[in-house]
Amino acid sequence: MSAAVDKSDASRLAELGYRQELRRDWSVVHSFGISFSIISVITGITTLFEYGLVTGGPGVMSVGWIVVCFFTMFVGASMAEIVSAVPTSGGPYFWAAVLAPRKHAAFAAWFTGWFNLLGQVAVTTGITFGLAGLISTTATIKTAYTPTPGKTLGIYAALLISHAMINTFGVRTLRYLNNSSIILHSVGISCLAVAVLAKAPTHQSAKFVFATFYDGTGDPGWSVRASPAYVAACGVLMSQYTITGYDASAHLSEETRNAEWSAPIGVLTSIGVSAVFGFFVIMAFLFSIQDFANTVASPIGQPVTQIFLDVFGENGAILLMTLIMVCVWHCGLFSLTSNSRMMYAFARDRALPHQFTWVDKKYQSPIATVWLAAFLAFLLAIPSLGSAVAFAAATSIATIGLYISYGTPILIGLIYHDTFKKGPFNLGVFSRPVALVACLWIGFITIIFCLPTTNPVTSQTLNYTPVAVGIILFWTITSWFLWAHRWFTGPIRQIEEGEVDVGPDVLEQVNATSEKPSVDRKL
């Protein structure tokens, strides 16, 4: 990449008030790759496949995927337009502050930031705790291993530590792991899906895949207690949870070259490619189910693993589950990366203690927030020791937290569109209609994912999503009016407009490409 682009990125960041402190060496492919890896269709589909089968069945899973991806593209398009105008690590909370009127900017940033933080932590929990569950389940094949909540939580802790260690000491290897993740999630998973379809002794009919409704939410199920539409609406959680995390392209924008274009392209392409790959994977799994009743009530406790056992036998199932687990590990790794960058930006603007702004000079990584993100993700999984629906609740929390943080700046931009200064990527006359559809969809899923999905509702089956979301809502509003409004002013400028501080890494890149580099640029 040319020195001119490096200086342009640093200049744009300076206009927004920040120094170039993080290493900027990611390309548009890496921007796509990190969001594609965090979306990780194989992660969401595999870990919530059982939830999908019992909450609506194959028809809701297949048609629901199409519906969810359609409306998610509206959310992604609006986000892409905003990140092109405001490419910083803060992502949604920074956007909210920039787009809101000056007198409301600080509160908009405070509100959006805390919900984004909740969603980021919860999505890391959902991904990595889901991986711990897959490891526990796969370990039972051909062994006498018996999973327990305590053992699964221990595996989860070890996985978080592995992700935090790489994000601490191996930050320079992240882009190479990103490349391997793209290959695994595209070529690897495509081969897996083709193999399952080709090897399956029998295949289900199209009617089974697209028109079979199944309610396994209790006795009686919620389709009786409420309605089939209620179950179908709740059942799209598998699809919507899967298509989350594409704000990673925004959170890594301060490490991406030509971010005004690369970040929005990363957002949109990651959603589009994931939509296609995800549909292919769902079709492969649903058409290859050999015995629906046995798959739903699998003795091994994991429907996807049961499909592999029925199609390939024990050795083949272990091999394919290993491939999936490697993909999920990459997904969890980059989720923690994105999470830590958001917290770093939030701390930089004094919403978190200033100690969390520490960036290691040698590794150019926000180490303090890396470990904070891992610690909070571990805490969120502790209820799994006493709750049968803890994982589904964590995925609901992740989905709601993230989408509220996505929707807030989109809504602000919709209301105050006259002051929204667009970047190079913009939707033109379609900007407001697209934003309106995005906001309506986010409002819909925020409501339905707080509803109970298991009947009867007990302490073991309670969906504690509204509790967690309510706590954050209460904390955000109460803390603001009691004390935060006195000192939190929203995004804080590190440097004044007109001053460009490109940082040592960009200077190194400029020196390598120009004999007489200049770090001053008229803004």
Side-chain angles (χ1 to χ4, degrees):
M1 186 65 67
S2 69
V5 170
D6 293 325
K7 289 165 61 181
S8 176
D9 283 319
S11 296
R12 179 62 184 130
L13 193 59
E15 290 174 8
L16 296 170
Y18 295 112
R19 298 186 185 94
Q20 183 67 55
E21 294 181 307
L22 302 176
R23 183 177 182 84
R24 192 185 287 271
D25 59 357
W26 288 51
S27 68
V28 63
V29 174
H30 296 114
S31 182
F32 155 77
I34 190 166
S35 287
F36 182 62
S37 296
I38 293 176
I39 291 175
S40 182
V41 294
I42 195 63
T43 297
I45 291 171
T46 302
T47 55
L48 281 177
F49 202 77
E50 180 180 15
Y51 176 92
L53 287 178
V54 301
T55 315
V60 172
M61 295 171 74
S62 56
V63 177
W65 181 268
I66 298 171
V67 172
V68 164
C69 290
F70 175 77
F71 283 106
T72 301
M73 281 301 294
F74 284 86
V75 180
S78 292
M79 285 179 58
E81 184 176 53
I82 297 173
V83 72
S84 178
V86 194
T88 72
S89 293
Y93 90 84
F94 192 98
W95 305 340
V98 171
L99 295 173
R102 185 177 295 274
K103 64 179 180 179
H104 301 307
F107 176 71
W110 181 260
F111 178 87
T112 307
W114 279 106
F115 271 99
N116 193 239
L117 189 148
L118 170 68
Q120 290 273 347
V121 171
V123 82
T124 300
T125 301
I127 293 165
T128 309
F129 189 75
L131 174 57
L134 294 179
I135 292 173
S136 293
T137 300
T138 307
T140 64
I141 304 175
K142 302 182 72 171
T143 72
Y145 177 78
T146 302
T148 66
K151 291 177 183 177
T152 303
L153 193 65
I155 295 171
Y156 174 59
L159 291 169
L160 284 176
I161 291 172
S162 73
H163 292 156
M165 292 292 286
I166 291 177
N167 273 285
T168 298
F169 303 110
V171 67
R172 293 174 184 267
T173 68
L174 284 176
R175 60 175 176 156
Y176 301 109
L177 288 170
N178 194 2
N179 293 338
S180 67
S181 181
I182 294 172
I183 295 172
L184 285 167
H185 279 91
S186 55
V187 178
I189 299 305
S190 295
C191 292
L192 180 150
V194 170
V196 172
L197 281 171
K199 181 66 174 176
T202 61
H203 295 98
Q204 297 288 346
S205 66
K207 181 179 179 181
F208 169 84
V209 171
F210 290 102
T212 299
F213 177 83
Y214 178 78
D215 180 8
T217 58
D219 188 17
W222 280 102
S223 63
V224 176
R225 186 174 176 181
S227 71
Y230 176 95
V231 176
C234 293
V236 301
L237 173 62
M238 183 203 77
S239 302
Q240 192 65 79
Y241 166 69
T242 300
I243 309 294
T244 55
Y246 43 88
D247 58 325
S249 295
H251 293 304
L252 274 292
S253 60
E254 289 184 31
E255 297 164 71
T256 306
R257 289 170 168 167
N258 198 19
E260 292 176 310
W261 275 107
S262 297
I265 291 172
V267 170
L268 285 176
T269 55
S270 63
I271 297 173
V273 173
S274 295
V276 174
F277 268 93
F279 185 73
F280 180 46
V281 171
I282 291 174
M283 292 297 99
F285 288 172
L286 291 177
F287 274 110
S288 300
I289 291 176
Q290 301 302 297
D291 184 330
F292 181 72
N294 185 58
T295 302
V296 171
S298 172
I300 205 166
Q302 222 297 328
V304 174
T305 308
Q306 186 63 52
I307 293 171
F308 293 164
L309 284 169
D310 293 341
V311 173
F312 295 99
E314 291 183 336
N315 291 333
I318 292 173
L319 177 63
L320 293 184
M321 287 305 298
T322 300
L323 171 61
I324 289 176
M325 289 186 290
V326 172
C327 289
V328 180
W329 182 88
H330 279 78
C331 177
L333 171 69
F334 290 112
S335 176
L336 192 69
T337 304
S338 176
N339 195 344
S340 65
R341 271 39 172 199
M342 181 271 159
M343 291 182 178
Y344 160 75
F346 213 30
R348 184 173 61 184
D349 292 323
R350 300 179 186 173
L352 296 176
H354 186 67
Q355 289 83 351
F356 292 112
T357 61
W358 175 49
V359 176
D360 183 89
K361 299 302 181 184
K362 179 178 179 181
Y363 298 106
Q364 293 180 283
S365 172
I367 292 176
T369 53
V370 166
W371 289 95
L372 174 64
F375 175 70
L376 293 178
F378 178 79
L379 290 183
L380 193 57
I382 290 178
S384 67
L385 295 173
S387 173
V389 295
F391 178 73
T395 58
S396 294
I397 294 168
T399 306
I400 292 174
L402 284 179
Y403 274 92
I404 287 177
S405 71
Y406 296 170
T408 302
I410 294 174
L411 179 61
I412 294 172
L414 175 64
I415 296 172
Y416 301 103
H417 64 97
D418 290 335
T419 57
F420 182 5
K421 297 180 180 178
K422 308 291 180 64
F425 178 92
N426 69 81
L427 302 175
V429 295
F430 297 103
S431 179
R432 297 188 73 198
V434 168
L436 177 60
V437 173
C439 291
L440 291 174
W441 177 251
I442 291 171
F444 171 70
I445 63 174
T446 298
I447 294 171
I448 62 171
F449 293 158
C450 284
L451 301 175
T453 55
T454 304
N455 188 43
V457 179
T458 66
S459 60
Q460 283 288 307
T461 62
L462 174 70
N463 180 1
Y464 64 86
T465 300
V467 176
V469 174
I471 289 173
I472 289 295
L473 181 62
F474 178 80
W475 155 261
T476 301
I477 296 176
T478 303
S479 62
W480 175 258
F481 286 105
L482 289 182
W483 67 81
H485 71 279
R486 300 172 187 167
W487 50 267
F488 183 74
T489 58
I492 298 172
R493 300 186 70 90
Q494 292 179 322
I495 53 180
E496 294 305 317
E497 192 167 355
E499 175 189 353
V500 180
D501 184 348
V502 295
D505 185 58
V506 175
L507 276 175
E508 176 185 332
Q509 295 166 359
V510 171
N511 286 330
T513 55
S514 176
E515 292 182 357
K516 294 182 179 181
S518 172
V519 298
D520 293 319
R521 178 187 176 96
K522 186 176 180 180
L523 302 178

